[in-house]
């Protein structure tokens, strides 16, 4: 069963873009009757979701059929509650959009709930539903998960089928969000199945096999790339966590802690150039009049992408390829890596970067939110599984998250150890 939502007296969060269908209640009643009779409903029963990007330049369209992940959910008995807000086309993380306005942070309306899956995080943090599904091409489920005190999982690329592919194809992952790692694992039983419409999903699935007696090698890292203004509370939380993990065993494996320094690994600028080029690609079908109707983030990214030269794009792609290889080589000697999910708790509403970031003003001018959140996007480049889970609170009492990353296709290990870690953090 999913975690029980806490009662919420928070302001209206503006996190839904489409209300439930009129017959949603009647659709749920047969399942409720089966539950009262003690009949197994399937792992998806009682869970709702969804996440959809919208833009004013294109009229909303109703799909002729379910997306692969939604089809998996329906077959499992899930009750789909509605669609939640995102930033325009999922291109930013400040929770503002030209169609729905600003999605408020239910725990702190003056702070940003994160994005692009802002409505997904807001409805969970407000206690409305137990599960949400978002897309993550650079941190878009893990960043709001961190800011809202939730569990959020970006699985290995292709584990949850998508289709048709977007311009962000090899970076974009679907990922569930919930209030506990256990609920995430339950959701993945349903979502993590292949679908022929997404060839990347047609790989073998296998449960993790513990290496009896072998040490569990866990790296810990507080910096990826240049200084991002890490909150002191996060550095303290990492020291506390390492003290908790020292000397522990898990499933018969001794935990070995290894310090990792990735301060010279900088992928944000290269990925930002690639990102803007993909936004330009995604807008190729739009007329000049339609582009003029886009929100400010999309217009800025489309223009930056159009201005890039072939040399700049080739250099960016090489940087990403070499950075990915370095991380894969690192994980040849690691089972898991611990990092913060974000450099701090939620920034001010409408913003994506803290004033503590040394380059805050330059990032606001360019819109490069990837550079403001350096811990999440490297694992989109490498297509590795990465889990964000509730970890601690800053001096103002706002939550921040811990990220746990594993080798590609080691999703079961990430979720299994993450569930244990979730309990140890509460000790």
């Amino acid at each position: 069963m999913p975690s029980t939502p806490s009662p919420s007296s928070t302001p209206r969060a503006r996190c839904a873009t489409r209300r439930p269908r009129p017959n949603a209640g009647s659709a749920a009643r047969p399942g409720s009757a089966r539950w009262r009779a003690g009949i197994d409903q399937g792992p998806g029963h009682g869970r709702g979701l969804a996440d959809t990007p919208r833009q004013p330049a294109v009229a909303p369209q109703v799909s002729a059929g379910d997306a692969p992940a939604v089809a998996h959910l329906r077959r499992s008995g899930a009750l789909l509650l509605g669609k939640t807000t995102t930033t325009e086309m999922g291109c930013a993380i400040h929770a503002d959009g030209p169609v729905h306005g600003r999605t408020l942070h239910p725990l702190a309306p003056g702070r940003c709930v994160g994005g692009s899956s802002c409505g997904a995080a807001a409805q969970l943090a407000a206690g409305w539903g137990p599960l949400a599904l978002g897309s993550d091409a650079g941190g878009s489920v893990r960043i709001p998960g961190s800011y809202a005190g939730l569990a959020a999982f970006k699985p290995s690329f292709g584990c949850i089928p998508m289709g048709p592919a977007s311009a962000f194809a090899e970076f974009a992952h679907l990922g569930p969000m919930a209030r506990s790692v256990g609920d995430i694992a339950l959701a993945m039983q349903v979502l993590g199945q292949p679908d022929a419409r997404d060839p990347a999903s047609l790989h073998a699935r296998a449960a993790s096999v513990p290496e009896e007696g072998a040490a569990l090698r866990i790296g810990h890292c507080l910096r990826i790339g240049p200084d991002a203004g890490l909150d002191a509370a996060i550095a303290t939380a990492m020291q506390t966590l390492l003290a908790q993990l020292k000397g522990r065993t898990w499933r018969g494996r001794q935990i070995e802690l290894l310090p990792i320094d990735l301060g010279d690994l900088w992928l944000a600028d290269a990925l930002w150039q690639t990102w803007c080029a993909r936004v330009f690609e995604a807008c190729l079908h739009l007329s000049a009049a339609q582009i003029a109707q886009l929100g400010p983030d999309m217009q800025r990214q489309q223009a930056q992408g159009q201005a890039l030269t072939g040399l700049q794009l080739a250099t960016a792609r090489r940087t990403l390829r070499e950075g990915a290889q370095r991380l894969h080589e690192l994980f040849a000697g690691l089972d898991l890596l611990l990092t913060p999910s974000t450099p701090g708790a939620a920034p001010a509403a409408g913003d994506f970067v803290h004033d503590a970031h040394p380059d805050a003003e330059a990032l606001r001018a360019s819109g490069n939110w990837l550079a403001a959140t350096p811990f999440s996007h490297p694992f989109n480049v490498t297509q590795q599984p990465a889990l964000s889970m509730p970890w601690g609170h800053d001096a103002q009492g706002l939550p921040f998250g811990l990220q746990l990353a594993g080798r590609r296709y080691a999703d079961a290990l990430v979720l299994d150890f993450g569930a244990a870690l979730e309990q140890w953090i509460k000790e």
Side-chain angles (χ1 to χ4, degrees), residues 19-424:
R19 293 180 179 178
R21 293 173 298 172
N23 64 346
S26 60
R29 279 193 284 273
S32 299
R34 290 193 297 270
W35 180 81
R36 287 193 296 270
I39 301 172
D40 183 16
Q41 305 297 292
H45 182 71
R47 291 157 173 79
L49 64 142
D51 179 35
T52 180
R54 298 181 66 191
Q55 58 180 163
V58 179
Q61 296 180 345
V62 178
S63 174
D66 286 336
V70 175
H72 287 339
L73 287 159
R74 286 197 197 279
R75 283 194 294 269
S76 77
L79 173 62
L80 307 184
L81 301 180
K83 290 190 175 183
T84 51
T85 59
T86 76
T87 55
E88 187 178 19
M89 296 300 291
C91 74
I93 63 168
H94 49 48
D96 289 3
V99 174
H100 59 73
R102 176 168 296 169
T103 298
L104 300 179
H105 195 315
L107 307 180
R111 297 298 188 99
C112 174
V113 74
S116 62
S117 302
C118 44
Q123 67 94 5
L124 284 166
W128 292 5
L131 175 69
L133 179 64
S135 60
D136 187 318
S140 290
V141 300
R142 289 163 290 156
I143 293 167
S146 178
Y147 292 164
L150 303 168
F153 184 50
K154 184 199 76 64
S156 294
F157 183 75
C159 278
I160 301 178
M162 301 178 69
S166 73
F168 296 89
E170 74 271 33
F171 303 123
H173 304 58
L174 289 180
M177 304 171 70
R179 295 189 193 87
S180 72
V181 177
D183 283 357
I184 293 286
L186 197 62
M188 286 301 298
Q189 292 180 28
V190 174
L191 293 164
Q193 301 178 49
D195 188 289
R197 290 171 286 179
D198 180 2
S201 73
L202 302 179
H203 60 269
R205 268 76 169 168
S208 61
V209 179
E211 300 178 33
E212 294 289 342
L216 185 68
R217 296 160 298 179
I218 302 177
H220 53 92
C221 177
L222 284 175
R223 185 165 169 176
I224 299 180
D227 177 22
L230 187 74
D231 192 300
I234 293 180
T236 299
M238 181 65 84
Q239 293 305 314
T240 300
L241 178 61
L242 296 178
Q244 288 179 293
L245 293 177
K246 186 177 181 180
R248 280 190 184 262
T249 60
W250 180 72
R251 295 186 177 178
R253 301 177 67 178
Q254 185 72 38
I255 292 176
E256 181 182 348
L257 299 172
L258 303 169
I260 304 296
D261 183 4
L262 294 174
D264 60 344
L265 179 69
W266 186 235
L267 304 180
D269 288 342
L271 185 55
W272 181 249
Q273 290 181 315
T274 306
W275 180 283
C276 290
R278 300 299 178 87
V279 171
F280 174 67
E281 177 186 338
C283 294
L284 287 175
H285 66 293
L286 300 181
S287 67
Q290 287 176 312
I291 289 174
Q293 295 179 56
L294 296 173
D297 294 295
M298 283 284 288
Q299 286 199 38
R300 178 166 51 186
Q301 292 174 24
Q302 190 270 349
Q304 290 182 37
Q306 186 174 14
L308 289 167
T309 67
L311 175 60
Q312 287 175 309
L313 278 176
T315 302
R317 287 173 61 86
R318 183 179 67 183
T319 298
L320 295 180
R321 183 175 65 252
E322 292 174 349
Q325 183 60 35
R326 178 176 171 188
L327 284 172
H328 288 311
E329 290 175 358
L330 171 67
F331 275 85
L334 291 179
D335 296 296
L336 298 164
L337 178 66
L338 296 167
T339 76
S341 300
T342 52
D351 205 351
F352 64 85
V353 61
H354 291 274
D355 289 332
H357 195 294
D359 298 319
E361 290 307 316
L363 296 182
R364 291 183 181 116
S366 69
N368 186 352
W369 58 267
L370 293 165
T373 53
F375 298 104
S376 53
H377 63 262
F379 301 107
N380 293 86
V381 176
T382 61
Q383 303 181 338
Q384 294 173 247
L387 170 70
S388 178
M389 69 183 76
W391 190 14
H393 296 81
D394 69 1
Q396 288 71 46
L398 294 172
F400 54 78
L402 172 70
Q403 181 174 250
L404 178 66
R407 297 172 186 165
R408 190 172 178 188
Y409 300 128
D411 298 56
L413 174 61
V414 170
L415 291 175
D416 289 350
F417 186 77
L421 196 57
E422 185 177 52
Q423 297 304 312
W424 293 341

